[in-house]
Amino acid sequence: LAQSAKAVVLVSHDRAFINNVTNRTLEITCGRVEDYKVKYDEYVVLRAERREQQLRAYENQQKEIADIKDFIERFRYKPTKAVQVQSRIKQLEKIVPIEVDEVDNKQMHLKFPPCLRSGDYPIICDEVRKDYGAHTVFDHVTFTIKRGEKVAFVGKNGEGKSTLVKCIMGEIPFTGTLKIGHNVQIGYFAQNQAQLLDENLTIFQTIDNVATGEMRLKVNDLLGAFMFGGETSEKFVKVLSGGERSRLAMIKLLLEPVNLLILDEPTNHLDMQSKDVLKEAIKAFDGTAIIVSHDREFLDGLVDKVYEFGGGKVREHLGGIYDFLQHKQMESLRELEKSVPSKTDNDQIQEPAVSSGKQSYAEKKEFEKQIRKAERLVKDAEAKVSQLEAELKVVEDKLAAGATDNDLFERHGEVSKSLDAAMSEWEDATMELENLKNN
């Protein structure tokens, strides 16, 4: 996008991405569009300066208005001052109020509730291996995560990041040894967490039921920080979109007493303010955290160790996310999607038994047939997802318009479940296609 000769309009919550792509920022505020001909980080500085100027001008105007009103009140009934009073009244009527840009000055500080201290080593992996049929996702995975460490799992989609998380959670079988330490209480966030919410509760009730201590008094502020402010908090969970449910599940997790956080792509449905609230909460968290993410800006300053998944191996890199990217000579984590593990990365990566140039004609034809079949499955799955998303939007639009038909609520639940199943089918088909192409 940065090298494209075409005009690009970008709507994004990825701070690093928009800084690297854009050279102009449009801000919508006070019912107007303000044009800053600079990238996002420079816009933030200019916006702060502009707002300070607005505040000074606003304060000066308020002082001027107060002085005029004071003059009018003091001399309103003195005949000798009638002309000056009338002049001041006209002057007051002509004043155009100065507006100050809307800024949320409430800094939401979220602190995890107290929890039992875990053992020194919450996670110990020794020769862990996971196979799906003939396909090995990873093997010889050996590492130890110490109490209090914040680590990132990074790598291409389909390389096993979420699979290892499921192994840690005990959701799927594996070979090798994986030990969960003493007194470890896990808080797990994944996309399917949103499906476990009670659909008959409102957003406010969902959070109010789990909030304790001083957070009971800050539920509305917390909801506002995650884009559920005002009347939105009274919406029922059953009418929320997938993204909204994910955000709600995230808030709920942040209020649970845990000492090991496992977050799988936690920033997917968050805006910049929500990301900042979550990031500060994790930084202040005195437990252990494993974060699966492609958002380098979110991981920056948050993690002190990176585990790279690729080529069926898991490699440990000490240091923060930008240390890792510098070591890999990459600009962003998205570049991992197109990178091929080099033989120097790990001597256990083996050469294919037969090079593509020496494949027989029949083998090539069979391979191409498998690729076409896999591509067709991906395309069909995408079409099904698009159809269900469109159907879900129609139902949600009707509910948002005030419809209260019970059949409509039931239909919403049915379509949501079908969409989740279709998304899983699409992910499986995509992973199968990637595996074929990589092999």
Side-chain angles (χ1 to χ4, degrees), residues 149-199:
E149 282 188 328
K150 312 288 192 300
V151 307
F153 284 2
V154 304
K156 288 201 298 185
N157 289 331
E159 290 290 353
K161 303 185 298 294
S162 297
T163 301
L164 184 56
V165 167
K166 289 177 181 177
C167 292
I168 293 171
M169 294 300 300
E171 293 182 358
I172 56 176
F174 57 89
T175 57
T177 304
L178 200 164
K179 293 181 181 177
I180 306 297
H182 178 65
N183 269 346
V184 170
Q185 292 178 289
I186 301 177
Y188 176 41
F189 175 82
Q191 296 307 315
N192 65 344
Q193 298 304 109
Q195 299 170 17
L196 306 179
L197 298 171
D198 187 340
E199 294 192 337

Side-chain angles (χ1 to χ4, degrees), residues 73-326:
E73 287 301 316
R74 273 193 299 150
F75 301 110
R76 182 186 292 275
Y77 303 108
K78 288 195 176 183
T80 56
K81 298 283 188 181
V83 175
Q84 290 96 321
V85 168
Q86 287 303 314
S87 174
R88 296 292 198 285
I89 290 173
K90 288 178 182 177
Q91 185 182 351
L92 193 62
E93 289 172 349
K94 289 179 182 177
I95 290 177
V96 178
I98 292 172
E99 287 184 300
V100 180
D101 289 351
E102 301 163 1
V103 172
D104 187 1
N105 289 317
K106 300 193 296 293
Q107 186 61 43
M108 183 68 206
H109 294 291
L110 181 61
K111 190 173 182 181
F112 285 88
C115 183
L116 286 172
R117 178 188 172 97
S118 73
D120 290 339
Y121 303 103
I123 302 288
I124 299 174
C125 288
D126 185 22
E127 295 294 313
V128 174
R129 174 180 176 133
K130 177 59 185 174
D131 299 298
Y132 282 116
H135 173 62
T136 300
V137 183
F138 48 69
D139 65 355
H140 302 296
V141 176
T142 300
F143 63 78
T144 299
I145 297 177
K146 299 176 184 176
R147 185 183 65 245
E149 282 188 328
K150 312 288 192 300
V151 307
F153 284 2
V154 304
K156 288 201 298 185
N157 289 331
E159 290 290 353
K161 303 185 298 294
S162 297
T163 301
L164 184 56
V165 167
K166 289 177 181 177
C167 292
I168 293 171
M169 294 300 300
E171 293 182 358
I172 56 176
F174 57 89
T175 57
T177 304
L178 200 164
K179 293 181 181 177
I180 306 297
H182 178 65
N183 269 346
V184 170
Q185 292 178 289
I186 301 177
Y188 176 41
F189 175 82
Q191 296 307 315
N192 65 344
Q193 298 304 109
Q195 299 170 17
L196 306 179
L197 298 171
D198 187 340
E199 294 192 337
N200 296 314
L201 295 178
T202 65
I203 293 171
F204 182 88
Q205 289 169 337
T206 300
I207 301 307
D208 190 49
N209 287 349
V210 294
T212 57
E214 64 178 30
M215 284 311 301
R216 293 291 312 265
L217 307 174
K218 297 181 180 179
V219 171
N220 283 323
D221 289 341
L222 177 58
L223 291 173
F226 282 84
M227 302 184 285
F228 287 124
E231 295 179 359
T232 307
S233 66
E234 296 305 316
K235 287 171 70 173
F236 280 90
V237 172
K238 67 176 74 172
V239 302
L240 299 182
S241 67
E244 287 173 323
R245 290 185 185 214
S246 292
R247 289 206 310 275
L248 188 59
M250 173 62 70
I251 304 172
K252 190 177 178 186
L253 172 62
L254 294 178
L255 296 174
E256 294 175 359
V258 299
N259 51 32
L260 172 59
L261 273 178
I262 302 178
L263 309 177
D264 194 347
E265 296 292 356
T267 63
N268 274 359
H269 300 287
L270 302 184
D271 67 356
M272 290 184 186
Q273 181 193 16
S274 306
K275 284 187 198 178
D276 289 341
V277 171
L278 177 60
K279 184 173 179 177
E280 290 304 312
I282 298 172
K283 284 170 76 173
F285 178 54
D286 56 8
T288 311
I290 298 172
I291 303 155
V292 182
S293 178
H294 288 101
D295 191 331
R296 63 193 183 281
E297 191 73 24
F298 180 74
L299 294 173
D300 183 32
L302 183 58
V303 300
D304 41 37
K305 191 184 289 184
V306 176
Y307 289 99
E308 178 192 6
F309 288 66
K313 308 298 173 189
V314 179
R315 301 168 184 82
E316 182 181 272
H317 299 266
L318 299 179
I321 195 65
Y322 279 101
D323 294 323
F324 166 73
L325 290 172
Q326 187 175 9

Side-chain angles (χ1 to χ4, degrees), residues 237-429:
V237 172
K238 67 176 74 172
V239 302
L240 299 182
S241 67
E244 287 173 323
R245 290 185 185 214
S246 292
R247 289 206 310 275
L248 188 59
M250 173 62 70
I251 304 172
K252 190 177 178 186
L253 172 62
L254 294 178
L255 296 174
E256 294 175 359
V258 299
N259 51 32
L260 172 59
L261 273 178
I262 302 178
L263 309 177
D264 194 347
E265 296 292 356
T267 63
N268 274 359
H269 300 287
L270 302 184
D271 67 356
M272 290 184 186
Q273 181 193 16
S274 306
K275 284 187 198 178
D276 289 341
V277 171
L278 177 60
K279 184 173 179 177
E280 290 304 312
I282 298 172
K283 284 170 76 173
F285 178 54
D286 56 8
T288 311
I290 298 172
I291 303 155
V292 182
S293 178
H294 288 101
D295 191 331
R296 63 193 183 281
E297 191 73 24
F298 180 74
L299 294 173
D300 183 32
L302 183 58
V303 300
D304 41 37
K305 191 184 289 184
V306 176
Y307 289 99
E308 178 192 6
F309 288 66
K313 308 298 173 189
V314 179
R315 301 168 184 82
E316 182 181 272
H317 299 266
L318 299 179
I321 195 65
Y322 279 101
D323 294 323
F324 166 73
L325 290 172
Q326 187 175 9
H327 170 72
K328 301 292 287 185
Q329 297 183 333
M330 293 179 177
E331 289 291 325
S332 77
L333 293 172
R334 295 292 178 188
E335 289 185 43
L336 288 171
E337 295 295 327
K338 55 190 177 185
S339 69
V340 178
S342 65
K343 283 181 278 186
T344 56
D345 276 348
N346 193 308
D347 57 10
Q348 296 179 64
I349 298 176
Q350 300 175 354
E351 286 286 344
V354 181
S355 68
S356 59
K358 295 181 181 179
Q359 282 183 319
S360 70
Y361 179 78
E363 286 174 329
K364 283 185 179 179
K365 281 295 182 184
E366 179 60 28
F367 178 71
E368 288 169 1
K369 182 180 176 184
Q370 289 178 341
I371 289 286
R372 284 197 300 274
K373 182 181 177 183
E375 286 175 339
R376 190 165 60 252
L377 286 173
V378 170
K379 188 176 180 181
D380 291 346
E382 284 176 349
K384 189 174 179 182
V385 167
S386 297
Q387 177 194 340
L388 288 167
E389 283 178 338
E391 188 175 348
L392 189 64
K393 187 179 185 306
V394 171
V395 176
E396 287 178 347
D397 287 345
K398 289 179 181 178
L399 291 171
T404 57
D405 187 354
N406 285 333
D407 290 341
L408 211 53
F409 286 121
E410 287 178 12
R411 185 59 186 153
H412 185 278
E414 290 170 3
V415 177
S416 295
K417 286 177 183 174
S418 298
L419 181 57
D420 289 335
M423 284 294 291
S424 295
E425 288 175 16
W426 174 78
E427 287 170 2
D428 292 342

